[in-house]
Amino acid sequence: MTAKEFVDIAIKQIFPKKCFEKMIVEMDVLNRECVPAVLSRCLGFALTAGSLGILVPQILKIKANKSGAGISLAAQILAIVAAGSTSAYSFEKGFAFSQWGDSLAIFVQTAIIVMQILHYNGNTPGAFSFLAVTWMLTTAVMYHYVPMSALTFLQSATIPIITASKGLQILANYRQGSTGQLSPISVTMAFGGCVARIFTSIQETGDNLVILSYVVATVLNFILVVQLVIYWNVDDKKKKKDVNDVLGMVFKPLILICLVIGFTRYYLQSHFMAAAVVAKPNIFRRAGIKIKEYVQNLANDYKTVIVETAQNSVKRPVRTGMIGTGLVFLGYANRTRPLDSELDLRLVELRQQMALLPISIHSSNADSALHEYTDLLNSERLDLYDCWFFSLLIKREFDRRVYSPVSQDSNLKPWFWERFAHNLVDVGAFGKFYKLEKAFIDYDIKQEEFLCKET
């Protein structure tokens, strides 16, 4: 991708429709239609960028303590379903990436948290099984094998899912009398992100399902923030509560809010004159201090994880060697997996090899394979699926230029596994496509001649 193409894509993502011409070219900076749209896009990208690390403190906290105590596994699974449903629904609907990029980031990070909880609870096979299922479903959504009706149902279900997810965490906090390993930074950022998402969803999509899901998430995240304040530095001896007194879970946040409002009102009334004399605190300085503290805490968390990982590596050299070998193997597989460009180059090389030979000694297997691949590529019926560590070549029923209900409607297409079973052409890994290479073994020997001589 050239720099010009990158700039064009960036402009289209930030300035929807003709807002770039109106606001920049025509200098109509305060255009009523474009200002909210551009502001929504910028806010969406800011939220997406911020969400890339929203759950990193939580992940590092679990890693440092080697425990997922206080974090509800059921709540996290429901959260990943909600985030994944929103991402898949928005992706299939064609919404701007700024609208659902944060959901995708939360989906990935929540999946890591679920794997951590399973691993530290002694269920490492379950963690890897969860990863495999998540990867399979993500691939199915990316290649449009999930019907839109199913995605709409999942998006509709996100509202009760979010309610159940956050509600389980709220109830778990209340029963334990503490927030356990719940990260205050992650919860606060999630609350702020949901508030901003209400505005961007109204501006960008107008989809009532998406808007309502963010409204519900905002309310529940606010309750979690209030719980963090209530249970901050609570002594273990004071954590005993009456589990059946569920009403307390509702009244405590309300009482706290009322107390804060009352105290603030009393303070302003009694110290109004003094407040008028004292200079206002520098809000930018306070914000800078908070950001500095957050970065320092984050750096300390990373440092702790790195040091502990190094210490564990020294203590368990065999395990470290096995994990390192596996990572190197996966990295090598990822780097050497053949893609479209490698397939095209290899076919060119094979055609040149066959052209240098007399037709009389051409291998029929090599000729058939070369014709098959060439015909499928020319008719645009050969799809390459990049599976990160290997590639799959799957034949399409119709070429891409056919626009018929059967060829375009995902509801009428066969399921991915059915296509995989019947239309798998080749598997590529470690720099080559194995079926193609197998067909070109002894490509300069015509097997039919030997069969005739034997008979």
Side-chain angles (χ1 to χ4, degrees):
M1 180 184 295
T2 63
K4 184 178 181 301
E5 293 175 346
F6 178 78
V7 172
D8 290 339
I9 294 174
I11 290 174
K12 290 179 181 179
Q13 289 293 327
I14 297 175
F15 295 91
K17 299 179 181 178
K18 296 183 178 180
C19 289
F20 180 79
E21 288 79 3
K22 292 181 180 179
M23 298 182 68
I24 305 300
V25 179
E26 300 176 5
M27 297 299 292
D28 187 7
V29 182
L30 301 178
N31 187 280
R32 292 184 178 181
E33 296 180 358
C34 292
V35 168
V38 174
L39 180 62
S40 175
R41 289 287 178 92
C42 294
L43 184 59
F45 279 115
L47 290 173
T48 301
S51 65
L52 294 176
I54 188 172
L55 294 178
V56 170
Q58 183 70 77
I59 295 171
L60 294 176
K61 193 171 184 179
I62 296 174
K63 174 64 177 176
N65 292 282
K66 298 187 183 303
S67 170
I71 300 178
S72 172
L73 178 61
Q76 297 302 317
I77 292 176
L78 290 174
I80 196 174
V81 172
S85 300
T86 301
S87 301
Y89 177 80
S90 302
F91 172 75
E92 194 69 24
K93 277 278 191 176
F95 294 154
F97 180 74
S98 60
Q99 172 59 30
W100 55 274
D102 58 328
S103 296
L104 179 62
I106 292 173
F107 171 79
V108 175
Q109 294 171 82
T110 308
I112 296 174
I113 292 176
V114 171
M115 292 184 65
Q116 283 183 313
I117 295 174
L118 292 172
H119 171 67
Y120 289 122
N121 286 343
N123 190 9
T124 303
F128 283 100
S129 300
F130 173 79
L131 175 63
V133 172
T134 304
W135 174 79
M136 180 186 67
L137 294 176
T138 303
T139 305
V141 172
M142 287 174 57
Y143 292 106
H144 308 286
Y145 288 113
V146 181
M148 190 62 205
S149 57
L151 296 178
T152 304
F153 172 77
L154 288 174
Q155 180 61 31
S156 303
T158 54
I159 298 173
I161 288 174
I162 292 173
T163 304
S165 170
K166 301 295 182 181
L168 287 172
Q169 186 64 63
I170 292 170
L171 185 60
N173 295 341
Y174 173 73
R175 287 178 172 176
Q176 296 172 9
S178 72
T179 54
Q181 302 301 323
L182 201 63
S183 173
I185 297 175
S186 297
V187 174
T188 306
M189 291 175 67
F191 170 68
C194 289
V195 173
R197 271 297 172 212
I198 296 175
F199 167 72
T200 60
S201 299
I202 295 173
Q203 184 65 37
E204 289 287 339
T205 67
D207 194 305
N208 293 329
L209 286 176
V210 178
I211 296 171
L212 184 58
S213 64
Y214 282 119
V215 171
V216 173
T218 300
V219 174
L220 295 173
N221 279 320
F222 174 74
I223 296 176
L224 284 175
V225 171
V226 173
Q227 282 189 325
L228 285 170
V229 176
I230 294 174
Y231 298 134
W232 189 266
N233 291 331
V234 176
D235 188 10
D236 291 339
K237 296 181 180 179
K238 298 180 180 180
K239 291 182 181 179
K240 295 182 179 179
K241 295 179 177 290
D242 185 5
V243 177
N244 296 323
D245 189 13
V246 182
L247 292 176
M249 179 180 60
V250 179
F251 288 129
K252 276 192 173 182
L254 296 177
I255 293 172
L256 178 65
I257 294 172
C258 293
L259 289 174
V260 171
I261 294 175
F263 177 79
T264 304
R265 183 178 179 182
Y266 170 78
Y267 181 82
L268 291 176
Q269 289 178 349
S270 59
H271 300 278
F272 179 79
M273 296 302 295
V277 177
V278 178
K280 293 183 178 180
N282 191 335
I283 187 172
F284 297 103
R285 180 177 178 81
R286 286 187 296 167
I289 294 173
K290 292 293 184 182
I291 294 174
K292 180 181 178 181
E293 291 177 353
Y294 171 71
V295 173
Q296 288 177 344
N297 292 333
L298 193 62
N300 291 332
D301 290 339
Y302 277 113
K303 180 181 178 181
T304 302
V305 172
I306 293 173
V307 171
E308 291 182 354
T309 303
Q311 292 175 351
N312 291 333
S313 300
V314 174
K315 293 179 181 178
R316 300 179 179 179
V318 177
R319 178 184 177 186
T320 303
M322 294 177 63
I323 295 175
T325 303
L327 292 176
V328 171
F329 175 79
L330 292 177
Y332 178 74
N334 176 264
R335 295 288 296 176
T336 58
R337 71 193 189 283
L339 300 176
D340 294 296
S341 57
E342 286 80 0
L343 176 62
D344 294 337
L345 290 174
R346 185 55 181 160
L347 289 175
V348 170
E349 293 175 356
L350 295 176
R351 291 192 195 99
Q352 292 175 349
Q353 291 180 10
M354 299 300 288
L356 296 175
L357 295 176
I359 299 178
S360 59
I361 63 172
H362 279 196
S363 169
S364 58
N365 292 334
D367 280 338
S368 299
L370 193 59
H371 285 305
E372 179 186 6
Y373 282 75
T374 303
D375 291 342
L376 290 174
L377 286 173
N378 290 338
S379 60
E380 298 186 9
R381 292 177 54 210
L382 191 62
D383 288 340
L384 186 142
Y385 291 86
D386 183 5
C387 300
W388 301 338
F389 306 115
F390 58 92
S391 303
L392 297 177
L393 289 177
I394 297 181
K395 179 173 61 176
R396 296 171 61 95
E397 297 293 337
F398 306 92
D399 66 62
R400 299 180 185 276
R401 294 166 293 186
V402 174
Y403 291 94
S404 64
V406 179
S407 64
Q408 299 298 321
D409 192 347
S410 59
N411 296 309
L412 300 178
K413 291 181 180 179
W415 283 89
F416 173 77
W417 301 114
E418 183 179 349
R419 289 188 59 200
F420 178 83
H422 294 89
N423 298 325
L424 179 63
V425 176
D426 207 340
V427 177
F430 302 109
K432 62 181 180 180
F433 291 95
Y434 286 89
K435 185 178 178 181
L436 179 62
E437 297 299 331
K438 183 179 179 181
F440 271 81
I441 297 176
D442 296 331
Y443 65 93
D444 56 349
I445 299 176
K446 193 169 186 177
Q447 293 85 356
E448 289 80 359
E449 294 182 357
F450 296 95
L451 294 176
C452 293
K453 291 179 179 180
E454 291 177 359
T455 56

